Amino acid sequence: MESMRMLFVMAASTAFALCGCGPSAQPPSQTAKPRIALIMKSLANEFFLTMEKGARMHQAAHADRYELLANGIKDELDVGRQTQLVEQMIAQRVDAIVIAPADSKALIAACKKALDAGIVVVNIDNKFDDGVLADKGIKIPFVGPDNRKGARMVGEYTAKRLQPGDSVAIVEGVPTAFNAIQRKLGFEEAMAAAGMKIVASQSAGWEMETANRAVSAMIMEHPELKAILCANDSMALGAVAALKAANKADSVIVAGFDNISAVHDLVRQGKVVATADQHADQLAVFGIEYALEMLARKGAPADRETPVDLITAETLHP
């Protein structure tokens, strides 16, 4: 009887191994739902909170397709903390990382480690530097809008409210960020085409309070300013506050970028004449869907452009 029981155990073990059902027969990623890590920038910024909310809603609606691990940094400039988050996700052996990098160059080394570990990486929001990617010998697809086109649309609409030769200023994002560079170029193109004079251009690091201080100094140095073009809506809010404090809210117009809800009343009032909607609630979803595609088909990565739309008082929904 004992020998028969031993034979049964051996046969069952052999069959279990042959069918590949054992917990160690395959890596976890081949037997479970893919785990996708979303790594964002400042969670103090409404834009990224909207991005996170959109991603969580998408995962809840597609819970059978993947698991989501969402992370972000408190300070939009904290490249070190974002690098740590990438390394933590590598250690947790996620299947894919969808990242909105705080810097276009500094995060590439950490993402290369992820690729070397067999993890799919998708870049959203702020595009990685093509030259650094080439130097590292890697390709990471960018899924996101044409920031230069969006800024040019905002600038062209703003210019229609000005006279040729008017003085304008630009409040830039982080100078090393690709999206900040592209938005500045878009504003400059629109102003040059309309014959405006750019008398000041300064970074406020995407931050409201920094923009408030920068614009306060600009309007002291250039009292003739007619418009201020801001590379995101948080900085536009800072600009509006500075103009209000200087009693110039009715004589200088402001434009932004991102279409966060905090500027909607100002857009309706004409204090912010235009902004650009890059669909924050869908931006991470676009990246997650692309990551799922890459996990399924294992093809060569390619960039994918997503929508960006002009938002004004006429187009803003009530």
Side-chain angles (χ1 to χ4, degrees):
M1 188 67 180
E2 182 63 24
S3 60
M4 289 183 65
R5 191 171 66 177
M6 287 297 294
L7 285 171
F8 175 79
V9 170
M10 290 174 66
S13 299
T14 302
F16 198 56
L18 287 174
C19 76
C21 298
S24 59
Q26 295 177 343
S29 61
Q30 292 179 289
T31 57
K33 290 182 291 186
R35 292 192 304 152
I36 296 181
L38 172 63
I39 300 178
M40 292 165 290
K41 291 194 282 182
S42 174
L43 293 181
N45 186 325
E46 180 192 326
F47 179 80
F48 293 101
L49 289 174
T50 302
M51 183 186 294
E52 180 186 22
K53 182 179 178 182
R56 291 192 184 281
M57 290 178 66
H58 182 268
Q59 193 278 330
H62 301 84
D64 58 324
R65 293 178 62 197
Y66 71 99
E67 295 179 17
L68 178 67
L69 294 81
N71 291 289
I73 52 179
K74 293 180 180 178
D75 180 348
E76 198 151 341
L77 303 178
D78 194 351
V79 173
R81 177 58 185 151
Q82 210 176 28
T83 299
Q84 289 177 354
L85 288 175
V86 173
E87 292 176 345
Q88 287 174 8
M89 293 303 101
I90 296 171
Q92 292 187 30
R93 299 177 61 197
V94 298
D95 297 279
I97 293 174
V98 177
I99 182 168
D103 186 276
S104 294
K105 299 178 180 178
L107 267 297
I108 291 179
C111 289
K112 183 178 185 303
K113 290 182 184 177
L115 291 175
D116 292 343
I119 296 170
V120 165
V121 180
V122 175
N123 172 206
I124 61 171
D125 181 58
N126 178 32
K127 190 177 186 303
F128 281 134
D129 185 274
D130 287 332
V132 178
L133 289 174
D135 288 344
K136 297 285 186 184
I138 58 175
K139 291 184 179 179
I140 296 176
F142 175 69
V143 178
D146 184 332
N147 283 275
R148 189 168 180 166
K149 180 171 71 178
R152 191 166 60 245
M153 289 193 299
V154 170
E156 288 169 349
Y157 185 87
T158 304
K160 292 177 182 177
R161 274 116 183 103
L162 303 172
Q163 297 297 320
D166 277 351
S167 295
V168 302
I170 296 174
V171 180
E172 308 167 28
V174 174
T176 55
F178 183 82
N179 57 351
I181 295 168
Q182 293 300 300
R183 291 176 196 180
K184 180 185 177 187
L185 288 172
F187 286 149
E188 289 176 339
E189 287 172 355
M191 294 299 101
M196 304 303 160
K197 186 165 60 176
I198 300 173
V199 297
S201 187
Q202 180 178 338
S203 170
W206 303 125
E207 298 291 339
M208 186 189 310
E209 289 304 319
T210 309
N212 188 318
R213 293 193 294 272
V215 171
S216 295
M218 283 178 178
I219 55 182
M220 287 286 288
E221 187 174 355
H222 302 284
E224 77 282 10
L225 272 178
K226 297 297 183 184
I228 299 172
L229 302 154
C230 302
N232 78 356
D233 284 345
S234 291
M235 297 191 295
L237 291 171
V240 170
L243 291 169
K244 184 178 180 181
N247 293 318
K248 283 182 168 287
D250 295 327
S251 59
V252 182
I253 58 177
V254 174
F257 198 109
D258 279 344
N259 190 32
I260 63 174
S261 63
V263 301
H264 286 176
D265 282 344
L266 294 173
V267 172
R268 294 188 184 95
Q269 296 166 18
K271 305 293 186 187
V272 173
V273 293
T275 183
D277 187 1
Q278 51 179 329
H279 306 278
D281 63 330
Q282 292 299 301
L283 203 51
V285 172
F286 293 142
I288 289 168
E289 287 283 4
Y290 194 81
L292 290 169
E293 284 183 37
M294 290 182 66
L295 288 169
R297 62 178 167 81
K298 309 292 184 185
D303 292 351
R304 180 174 292 177
E305 186 173 332
T306 60
V308 58
D309 299 307
L310 178 70
I311 300 296
T312 67
E314 292 77 22
T315 63
L316 188 64
H317 297 297

